[in-house]
């Protein structure tokens, strides 16, 4: 007798997080006379990036967060971008900074990210943020990994003692989500393009995080019965990295695409922006 996995509703949870964030933002604004402010920086006019930044601005507005957008031409040099980010880092009116990527092949992404002050790194992309997260110290998580952990908590999934397999090793998704799971006492295995016999590794997982950017890479036959499946991939045609229709027949819990991880990413960004504002506005001048 077949069964169907329970869906993990990221949209509903994200809505509640944004509602809570809006209340915190209103409280900060009332107490300090200053609204939390997120600065978004975009190099060039990539259509997907333009749309994504606009969506984030709209969500900011609904949450009572001011949004300042800095649009830079595609020909912007790495030094000019670093200067822009440095100026925003030093601006007391800006509490969080989001540098939208990709930025173009002529720009060193790591150098650009490191120009963001850690106290304003609400997207969790700097080395300081990764280190703090890895050691369990105060700081900001990468937004998608942070959102994934909130989803697991919402559905009472305790990673302790469980075998977690992360498929993908990007600096802002795969690597940090593995560290967060490790910090919660999961036994973590990272898989990537050179992993031999990927299916056999995934089949051992109690928790699978697919974050590699390859449509339907993980199939139902790869899923351990009852496993928790987190699909952090997003490919053209609203397709994730997991073959949803077959995986849901074996998984215990699974995120849909869209409506799973995606909304949690933006909700985490907004929550961390308000948290950053609270810290900065409470600090002595």
């Amino acid at each position: 007798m077949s069964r169907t996995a329970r869906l993990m509703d990221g949209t509903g949870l994200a809505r509640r997080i944004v509602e809570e964030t809006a209340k915190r933002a209103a409280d900060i604004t009332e107490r300090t006379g200053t609204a939390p402010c997120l600065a978004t920086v975009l190099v060039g006019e990539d259509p997907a990036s333009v749309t994504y930044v606009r969506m984030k601005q709209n969500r900011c507005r609904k949450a009572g967060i001011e949004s300042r957008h800095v649009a830079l031409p595609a020909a912007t040099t790495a030094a000019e971008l670093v200067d822009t980010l440095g100026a925003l880092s030093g601006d007391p009116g800006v509490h969080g900074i989001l540098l939208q990527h990709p930025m173009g092949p002529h720009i060193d992404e790591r150098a650009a990210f490191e120009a963001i002050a850690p106290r304003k790194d609400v997207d969790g992309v700097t080395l300081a943020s990764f280190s703090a997260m890895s050691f369990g110290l105060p700081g900001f998580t990468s937004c998608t990994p942070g959102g994934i952990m909130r989803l697991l908590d919402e559905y009472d999934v305790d990673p302790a003692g469980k075998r977690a397999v992360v498929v993908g090793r990007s600096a802002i998704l795969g690597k940090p989500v593995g560290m967060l799971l490790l910090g919660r006492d999961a036994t973590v295995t990272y898989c990537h393009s050179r992993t031999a016999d990927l299916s056999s590794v995934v089949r051992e997982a109690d928790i699978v995080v697919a974050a590699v950017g390859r449509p339907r890479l993980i199939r139902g036959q790869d899923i351990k019965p009852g496993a928790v499946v987190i699909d952090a991939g997003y490919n053209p045609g609203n397709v994730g990295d997991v073959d949803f229709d077959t995986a849901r027949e074996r998984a215990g819990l699974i995120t849909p695409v869209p409506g799973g991880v995606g909304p949690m990413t933006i909700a985490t960004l907004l929550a961390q922006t308000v948290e950053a504002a609270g810290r900065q506005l409470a600090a002595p001048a």
Side-chain angles (χ1 to χ4, degrees):
M1 180 177 178
S2 65
R3 59 177 184 151
T4 301
R6 183 183 175 197
L7 296 184
M8 302 176 79
D9 180 15
T11 300
L13 176 56
R15 185 182 303 114
R16 296 200 302 275
I17 292 172
V18 172
E19 288 172 354
E20 294 167 3
T21 298
K23 291 177 183 177
R24 291 174 58 204
D27 178 64
I28 288 172
T29 303
E30 182 178 353
R31 285 190 294 104
T32 69
T34 302
C37 176
L38 174 68
T40 55
V41 180
L42 176 63
V43 179
E45 298 180 352
D46 175 72
S49 294
V50 169
T51 299
Y52 198 43
V53 167
R54 187 179 300 119
M55 179 172 61
K56 289 173 180 174
Q57 290 175 303
N58 290 336
R59 298 290 173 83
C60 280
R61 194 174 304 113
K62 292 179 180 178
I65 299 171
E66 289 187 1
S67 179
R68 183 187 304 183
H69 183 53
V70 179
L72 300 173
T76 298
T77 66
E80 289 169 337
L81 177 57
V82 166
D83 286 346
T84 297
L85 294 167
L88 291 171
S89 291
D91 186 340
V94 171
H95 307 110
I97 300 171
L98 169 73
L99 174 57
Q100 185 65 37
H101 52 89
M103 308 166 207
H106 65 294
I107 290 178
D108 181 343
E109 284 197 356
R110 178 46 49 198
F113 285 142
E114 292 310 307
I116 300 172
R119 69 185 183 282
K120 299 188 179 185
D121 179 25
V122 294
D123 202 23
V125 294
T126 63
L127 294 176
S129 291
F130 185 85
S131 298
M133 180 194 61
S134 299
F135 285 98
L137 300 174
F140 297 112
T141 65
S142 299
C143 287
T144 300
I148 288 171
M149 299 308 291
R150 286 291 298 269
L151 263 177
L152 292 177
D153 289 341
E154 176 72 9
Y155 286 87
D156 297 320
V157 178
D158 182 1
K162 297 203 169 52
R163 185 151 204 184
V165 170
V166 179
V167 185
R169 52 179 170 176
S170 71
I172 60 173
L173 210 175
K175 287 180 181 176
V177 78
M179 296 306 294
L180 289 172
L181 287 164
L182 182 64
R184 297 279 290 275
D185 298 321
T187 298
V188 180
T189 300
Y190 286 98
C191 296
H192 44 77
S193 59
R194 296 193 179 185
T195 298
D197 197 2
L198 175 65
S199 295
S200 68
V201 180
V202 173
R203 275 195 291 270
E204 297 178 355
D206 302 303
I207 300 171
V208 179
V209 180
V212 72
R214 291 180 59 185
R216 298 190 178 96
L217 175 67
I218 308 299
R219 300 160 296 173
Q221 66 196 56
D222 302 329
I223 303 300
K224 178 181 179 179
V228 178
V229 178
I230 304 292
D231 191 347
Y234 188 78
N235 305 286
N238 287 339
V239 174
D241 289 353
V242 175
D243 185 0
F244 180 81
D245 290 337
T246 59
R248 72 182 303 191
E249 297 301 319
R250 290 173 65 89
L253 287 165
I254 190 170
T255 58
V257 176
V261 172
M264 293 299 299
T265 300
I266 295 180
T268 302
L269 173 71
L270 300 182
Q272 294 194 152
T273 298
V274 172
E275 183 180 348
R279 292 178 186 176
Q280 291 166 47
L281 291 170

